[in-house]
Amino acid sequence: MLTYKNTYSSILYLLSVGAAMLVASCADTDTDVPAPTIYFASDGKFEITLADTLVLSPKITYDRNSTYQWMQNGNIVATTLEYEFVPQALSDYELSFSVENSNGSDSYNIAISVVEAIDFSQFSNFSVPTKSGLYMLPDTLSNFITQHAIFSNAINADTTMWSGFAFSNSTSKSTTLTTSCIGCAYSNTTQNAYMAVSCYSPGAVVMFDRAYTIKSIDITSDNFAYLVSKFGYISADSTVQIAYPNAYDYVTLHINGLDNNGNKVSETTYNLVDCRFDNPAKYIRQTEWSALSLKQLGNVYGLAFEIESSIDDFPPFFCLDNIKLQE
């Protein structure tokens, strides 16, 4: 009996010690839990149209007894984990999401762009071809019409030069200079539809249905123009050097904002080619699609494109896609 009592007492002691250690261990674990951390499936940047609804669903690690808060323009708009964003205008929105519990807090910024994008695959007077190539020839002078814009086409009096927009879906990085390269985007990325642009005088003009701020456009070099900027070209009979590039050459795209009467009211520039450096390693040539912000033009009713070059008789071609409109 004595041995049993001692053994029983020992067991009770061990159990009580073990329970105390377990409580202490749990307390230590709660104390050591990291603060909650927010993750988004994307990088927190979204682009939607005015007709869209965006459901924001952040993921949170160490989410224990947490409180949530969504803020916009300094105001709390929701205190739930998930938030449904409904755009009110063609504009940019900045939101912040925060989570907090007894172990700490975290916050995350979200950028939402609401745009009206001009879809070059949907024209009211032009059906999209299924093969590659340049589908608007100089003798086809009807304007392209989309839901929000009209793209001009013109040909000069002696029919030697055409200016305006040509539908294309062809890409090429050919190193052989032929006229078949004209209207081919210099890119490795296949586009469903874009505009090949000819900026011979009087230039290429697009007019919108009302005033917009142009959030951005995508541009890249025309394959033919790119090769001319590197190698030049000669006449068909190989007797006259039509264009010949030199050191310190440049090709600059001028983008003008227009008022409702088509008058120029603002301007920005972008260098498609810039070799004005002593070190050739610094030469710039546009070799892929790039997004170019045009917000600095202000609210405009249209855009006019012109090309300036130090290379004599340079073919003033480039490629245009993804015109994104805001209010």
Side-chain angles (χ1 to χ4, degrees), residues 208-226:
F208 305 120
D209 58 346
R210 58 188 176 91
Y212 292 99
T213 295
I214 315 303
K215 179 178 176 60
S216 65
I217 61 174
D218 288 357
I219 62 171
T220 192
S221 295
D222 172 271
N223 191 187
F224 181 80
Y226 170 85

Side-chain angles (χ1 to χ4, degrees), residues 303-315:
L303 298 172
F305 299 94
E306 301 170 353
I307 285 182
E308 173 194 358
S309 178
S310 60
I311 304 171
D312 291 339
D313 298 315
F314 184 80

Side-chain angles (χ1 to χ4, degrees), residues 199-210:
C199 294
Y200 283 113
S201 180
V205 175
V206 52
M207 294 298 295
F208 305 120
D209 58 346
R210 58 188 176 91

